[in-house]
Amino acid sequence: MVSCVPAPRRGAAFIKLLRAWCCFLIALGVLSAGPVTAQTAVQQPPPPSPASAAELREELQRLRQEFESIRDAYGARLAALESRLGQQTGAVTPPAVAAEAAAALPAPVPPLPAEPAPAAVAGQAQAPAPAPAPEVAVPAGAAGAGGPAGALPVYGNANAMSKIFNPDIAVIGNFVGAAGRNTIDPLPALQLEEAELSLQAVVDPYARADFFLAASPEGLEVEEGFVTFPTLPGGLLAKVGKLKAQFGKANTLHSHVMPWVDQPIVIRNLLGGDEGLNDSGISVSRLILNPVIFLEATGEIYQGQNDLFASHSRSDLTYVGRLRGYRDVTEGTNIDLGTSFAYGHNDAGDDTTTRVAGIDATVRYRPLRRAIYRRFIGRTELLWSRRGETTGDVGSFGTYGSAEYQFARRWFAGARYDWSERAYDSSLVDKGPSVLLTYWPSEFSQIRGQYRRTRYAEGVNSNELLFQFLFSIGAHGAHAF
């Protein structure tokens, strides 16, 4: 028996089945969409952190300050031009023009709204706010007439204002010791031979001052104290005060600049002693321009009271002249040549005089690629003296030659040979060699040893070991090249 289902019932069952299938598909879609949405949410970029927002605000604040500084500078320049124009025309700037100029300026940028700072991270301290820049008032002579107004900022180190009126100060100690035998010219076993105090500063745009005070066992003295005028008409340079005379090379060197512990014998015999020509006077020099060589001429007038010359009256002055030439031979080699002359009265009598002439030469070699490891300097001087005595003139001659070689970064080796007659008796001759070794721990100190053998005119031989410690503190300017 076959059961037959009516057609309407079969259609209703089909519809129910279709509805169930759609609900299943919808439920499956909802369940699969949940993980996708969560994954998409994870992939979204995180919101900006408080630190990034603070950096952005700081950058905006800096740009605003730069914009305001440009606006202020533009306004100051415009006001200065209007003031100058008003002075030239004799009229006051109309208010309309001033209003129009002010309107032309860019509007100020409003400050950013305040925002509370983010909480500090544990273990980290917030940086303190920078201190405001120091300011100084505009000098009275510079105010107005289109110049700046108000307070001016101080750039650089604010502590530099505390020494703006103070000179550069330095102290250099020269400690010397001696061992061995010398019965003619002995040195103490241990002695602080000299402590030099230097004070150097610019006086004004037209002059600078240099003072060198030397304290020794004999007392305190002004070794040099002079003012320099480098911008005189005609290309002249003048020095006024107490100076080391521009005679030769060794005479111009301070004790801490010399490459030896002692002065060459010729300087002691023919130029008056260790101090040499050092007197109060006026020095004028000028460059002689030419395409071949650096050439400098110097003329000096001194009081005439030192170890070599003696002034018996106001008119007994000492005269010194020097002509110096310098030339670069190669990029690492140069030569320095000079000739000098000095004339003045001496202590033998009221009308007796002394004349000294000299020639000096210096050769320097310093390869650029090995400049801090290799260097050579050769020096020599030849001096002729004619000293007036009551019995007649005495002619004397003396010379020295030295060489110094740098064989390591801080080590120097040198040698010197001296030969000199004595100024008052040319038959008496002193001579002898020296060898030296110098160590530079730094540019502020030196340690030097020198073996010196001297045969004096009295027939006495001396053998000595000299040692020297040089040390300096403070800002000491470079000496003349």
Side-chain angles (χ1 to χ4, degrees), residues 125-147:
Q126 294 183 353
E135 297 180 342
V136 294
V138 177

Side-chain angles (χ1 to χ4, degrees), residues 157-397:
N157 185 8
N159 295 331
M161 294 295 295
S162 62
K163 66 177 293 293
I164 189 170
F165 293 110
N166 295 331
D168 293 332
I169 302 175
V171 180
I172 301 176
N174 182 11
F175 184 87
V176 176
R181 179 178 177 82
N182 188 331
T183 59
I184 304 299
D185 187 17
L187 293 175
L190 299 171
Q191 176 179 259
L192 182 62
E193 188 173 81
E194 182 182 80
E196 179 182 289
L197 172 66
S198 66
L199 307 169
Q200 301 174 284
V202 174
V203 179
D204 53 37
Y206 313 102
R208 65 166 289 121
D210 298 87
F211 286 90
F212 302 95
L213 310 180
S216 65
E218 290 76 24
L220 179 65
E221 66 171 352
V222 179
E223 186 174 10
E224 285 191 282
F226 57 90
V227 60
T228 304
F229 302 96
T231 58
L232 295 180
L236 298 177
L237 182 145
K239 298 180 180 180
V240 180
K242 187 177 183 183
L243 311 162
K244 282 183 170 291
Q246 293 297 309
F247 188 100
K249 277 294 184 182
N251 180 76
T252 62
L253 301 178
H254 288 211
S255 59
H256 62 274
V257 184
M258 292 191 306
W260 326 286
V261 178
D262 62 336
Q263 280 276 24
I265 295 177
V266 64
I267 302 298
R268 301 199 300 267
N269 285 359
L270 301 186
L271 283 185
D274 291 333
E275 294 298 327
L277 292 179
N278 188 358
D279 204 351
S280 298
I282 301 174
S283 173
V284 179
S285 60
R286 189 184 190 279
L287 297 180
I288 302 176
L289 302 180
N290 63 91
V292 180
I293 191 173
F294 169 90
L295 198 60
E296 180 185 37
T298 303
E300 300 175 328
I301 301 177
Y302 291 101
Q303 177 187 2
Q305 198 67 41
N306 50 62
D307 294 338
L308 179 61
F309 299 107
S311 177
H312 306 286
S313 65
R314 184 176 294 178
S315 60
D316 292 345
L317 301 176
T318 296
Y319 303 92
V320 178
R322 175 170 171 78
L323 185 65
R324 177 200 174 196
Y326 171 91
R327 181 178 175 84
D328 289 324
V329 180
T330 65
E331 64 179 11
T333 307
N334 59 72
I335 57 174
D336 194 338
L337 304 174
T339 178
S340 309
F341 179 80
Y343 170 85
H345 290 73
N346 60 35
D347 56 359
D350 294 342
D351 298 327
T352 57
T353 60
T354 295
R355 297 182 294 275
V356 183
I359 297 175
D360 61 90
T362 304
V363 178
R364 302 178 184 87
Y365 171 70
R366 192 170 188 178
L368 297 183
R369 295 183 180 180
R370 304 281 292 173
I372 64 174
Y373 297 100
R374 296 292 181 268
R375 183 193 313 177
F376 173 81
I377 300 179
R379 299 181 177 91
T380 186
E381 288 192 59
L382 299 89
L383 273 69
W384 293 265
S385 170
R386 181 163 293 276
R387 175 182 169 86
E389 299 283 350
T390 55
T391 57
D393 293 346
V394 178
S396 304
F397 171 75

Side-chain angles (χ1 to χ4, degrees), residues 399-436:
T399 183
Y400 76 87
S402 73
E404 182 182 15
Y405 178 70
Q406 179 184 5
F407 60 90
R409 182 166 185 173
R410 303 184 186 278
W411 290 93
F412 297 78
R416 191 187 76 203
Y417 185 80
D418 298 288
W419 192 99
S420 176
E421 301 170 344
R422 297 187 182 177
Y424 58 87
D425 189 348
S426 59
S427 63
L428 302 178
V429 178
D430 303 322
K431 57 185 177 181
S434 297
V435 292
L436 303 98

